[in-house]
């Protein structure tokens, strides 16, 4: 149907490789076999050990670009850890590092922008800073709004979009806080990234997750797709031991309510698609980050089999709610021969 809302499927390619081998070859082979054309780059090995994308040398970046072209892949977003540092230089019992913001802006954020250009993506994924454990996130909004506003401005100068992901333990740990940050920053280069599992693990109910999605919807740029079942939390919305999370599941089996969320999202896709395309983004991405074999603070694992299961589950949900999606077809395969 010509009028069916349409998304582009992507995923964190490092999740499709083995724990012991995050080589570009393994990642790209798995994604090509699954029929995915787009991927988010996060951890990768191009011959010198597994590195976060932020730590790749210029030569390694060139090698990744050569290999992804060989496999017919494109980067949907830079899976950077920007914003996953302490807001304040306070010893709060966590292992999170602190970097003075001016240094962070001119070195880390600038490097992320440069890498996004090298990989040919307009989207940089990031976060909303760790406030000292035991303090109220709301009390730190003024500083976070200022810093994220400056990050958005730096991205805008490079023609990029900074996507702020909702995640536990950060100032923007829930959709209501993230929506308020978006409202206060009020910058065209800042958008929001929804992730249902990241809310379920904090003890929120399916109804609360849906309400947080609705709060984020005006600023939504794209979605991460993973789900979780039966979280054990001591306090709703409290600190989460991310390395202890073990019940991640595909999108059709968890507690986040992806069917309801995506059914509502379907009506919003044409408007968002037009906005993103006006900014040079090819369309609306749904980015698989399944964690079905485990996940933690800085990444997760699904393996090629788990990524395949998660992709098929997402496709079933999209078919059910009437959203079209992009996978490779025979014409693309024929065009890549030779």
């Amino acid at each position: 149907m010509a009028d069916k809302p349409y998304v582009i499927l992507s995923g964190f390619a490092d999740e499709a490789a083995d724990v012991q081998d995050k080589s570009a070859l393994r990642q790209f082979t798995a994604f090509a076999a699954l029929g995915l054309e787009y991927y988010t780059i996060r951890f990768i090995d191009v011959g010198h050990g597994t590195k976060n994308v932020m730590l790749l040398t210029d030569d390694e970046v060139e090698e990744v670009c050569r290999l992804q072209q060989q496999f017919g892949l494109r980067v949907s977003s830079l899976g950077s850890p920007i914003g996953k540092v302490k807001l304040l230089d306070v010893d709060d019992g966590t292992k999170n590092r602190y970097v003075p913001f001016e240094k962070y802006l001119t070195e880390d954020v600038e490097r992320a922008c440069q890498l996004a250009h090298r990989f040919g993506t307009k989207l940089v994924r990031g976060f909303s800073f760790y406030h000292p454990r035991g303090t109220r996130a709301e009390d730190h909004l003024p500083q976070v709004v200022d810093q994220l506003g400056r990050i958005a401005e730096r991205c805008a100068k490079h023609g990029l979009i900074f996507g702020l992901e909702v995640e536990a333990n950060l100032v923007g740990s829930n959709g209501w806080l993230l929506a308020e940050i978006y409202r206060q920053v009020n910058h065209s280069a800042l958008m929001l990234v929804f992730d249902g599992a990241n809310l379920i693990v904090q003890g929120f109910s399916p109804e609360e997750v849906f309400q947080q999605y609705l709060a984020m919807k005006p600023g939504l740029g794209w979605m991460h797709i993973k789900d979780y079942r039966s979280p054990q939390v001591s306090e709703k919305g409290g600190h989460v031991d991310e390395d202890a999370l073990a019940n991640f599941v595909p999108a059709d089996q968890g507690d986040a309510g992806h069917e309801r969320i995506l059914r509502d999202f379907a009506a919003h896709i044409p408007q968002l698609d037009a906005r993103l395309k006006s900014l040079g983004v090819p369309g609306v991405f749904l980015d698989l980050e399944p964690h079905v074999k485990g996940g933690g603070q800085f990444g997760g694992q699904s393996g090629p089999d788990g990524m395949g299961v998660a992709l098929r589950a997402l496709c079933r949900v999209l078919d059910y709610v009437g959203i079209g999606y992009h996978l490779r077809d025979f014409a693309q395969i024929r065009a890549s021969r030779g």
Side-chain angles (χ1 to χ4, degrees), residues 14 17-25 27 41-57 59-61 63-64 67:
D14 54 6
D18 296 329
V19 174
Q20 299 85 0
D21 185 355
K22 296 290 186 185
S23 68
L25 184 62
Q27 295 187 35
I41 183 167
R42 180 174 53 192
F43 292 101
I44 196 163
D45 181 359
V46 284
H48 303 93
T50 300
K51 298 180 179 180
N52 184 277
V53 61
M54 295 287 291
L55 301 178
L56 293 177
T57 66
D59 287 344
E60 288 171 329
V61 171
E63 178 64 7
V64 172
L67 287 168

Side-chain angles (χ1 to χ4, degrees), residues 28-45:
F28 295 171
T29 298
F31 262 50
L34 289 169
L36 291 165
E37 181 182 358
Y38 286 88
Y39 78 104
T40 286
I41 183 167
R42 180 174 53 192
F43 292 101
I44 196 163
D45 181 359

Side-chain angles (χ1 to χ4, degrees), residues 2-295:
D3 58 349
K4 178 185 285 190
Y6 184 85
V7 296
I8 304 174
L9 301 184
S10 176
F12 283 73
D14 54 6
E15 290 217 8
D18 296 329
V19 174
Q20 299 85 0
D21 185 355
K22 296 290 186 185
S23 68
L25 184 62
R26 280 188 177 272
Q27 295 187 35
F28 295 171
T29 298
F31 262 50
L34 289 169
L36 291 165
E37 181 182 358
Y38 286 88
Y39 78 104
T40 286
I41 183 167
R42 180 174 53 192
F43 292 101
I44 196 163
D45 181 359
V46 284
H48 303 93
T50 300
K51 298 180 179 180
N52 184 277
V53 61
M54 295 287 291
L55 301 178
L56 293 177
T57 66
D58 289 344
D59 287 344
E60 288 171 329
V61 171
E62 289 302 316
E63 178 64 7
V64 172
C65 290
R66 184 189 71 80
L67 287 168
Q68 72 182 33
Q69 183 176 18
Q70 178 181 327
F71 279 87
L73 287 164
R74 303 180 186 185
V75 174
S76 54
S77 69
L78 188 80
S80 85
I82 294 296
K84 271 199 172 181
V85 293
K86 288 181 176 181
L87 190 63
L88 301 171
D89 190 10
V90 174
D91 184 359
D92 60 357
T94 68
K95 297 179 181 179
N96 302 319
R97 68 187 182 109
Y98 171 78
V99 183
F101 183 68
E102 295 300 331
K103 174 181 173 69
Y104 197 61
L105 184 66
T106 57
E107 295 182 7
D108 294 63
V109 177
E110 180 64 26
R111 179 59 176 165
C113 292
Q114 294 170 0
L115 286 167
H117 279 297
R118 295 284 292 277
F119 287 118
T121 181
K122 291 282 188 177
L123 306 178
V124 177
R125 184 280 303 265
F127 301 92
S128 54
F129 296 94
Y130 292 112
H131 56 99
R133 185 175 177 178
T135 65
R136 284 172 20 102
E138 293 86 345
D139 295 337
H140 301 280
L141 280 177
Q143 183 179 353
V144 164
V145 166
D146 174 69
Q147 292 184 186
L148 289 174
R150 295 179 66 189
I151 290 174
E153 183 60 28
R154 178 63 62 111
C155 288
K157 288 180 179 178
H158 286 272
L160 303 172
I161 297 167
F162 188 67
L164 197 57
E165 181 179 349
V166 62
E167 185 170 307
N169 304 330
L170 298 152
V171 173
S173 61
N174 63 60
W176 299 302
L177 282 168
L178 219 59
E180 180 60 19
I181 291 170
Y182 174 79
R183 186 189 70 80
Q184 291 192 32
V185 172
N186 191 28
H187 198 294
S188 60
L190 180 73
M191 301 185 83
L192 305 180
V193 181
F194 179 81
D195 187 314
N198 285 353
L199 298 173
I200 289 293
V201 300
Q202 298 179 64
F204 292 111
S205 69
E207 179 60 30
E208 289 169 320
V209 170
F210 184 71
Q211 293 304 319
Q212 290 177 65
Y213 150 75
L214 291 178
M216 291 175 62
K217 190 162 70 168
L220 205 58
W222 65 100
M223 287 191 186
H224 287 175
I225 303 295
K226 64 175 177 284
D227 213 328
Y228 201 83
R229 186 162 42 195
S230 304
Q232 300 295 318
V233 294
S234 56
E235 177 187 357
K236 183 183 293 187
H239 185 84
V240 174
D241 181 357
E242 295 176 88
D243 292 329
L245 298 174
N247 295 325
F248 289 103
V249 294
D252 62 346
Q253 297 180 34
D255 297 334
H258 277 96
E259 177 194 329
R260 183 184 184 190
I261 290 166
L262 290 170
R263 190 179 298 280
D264 180 90
F265 187 57
H268 184 60
I269 288 173
Q271 174 187 341
L272 178 56
D273 184 72
R275 179 184 176 188
L276 288 168
K277 285 179 176 173
S278 74
L279 297 170
V281 183
V284 179
F285 285 107
L286 298 186
D287 212 3
L288 281 162
E289 191 190 14
H291 288 11
V292 293
K293 293 186 180 180

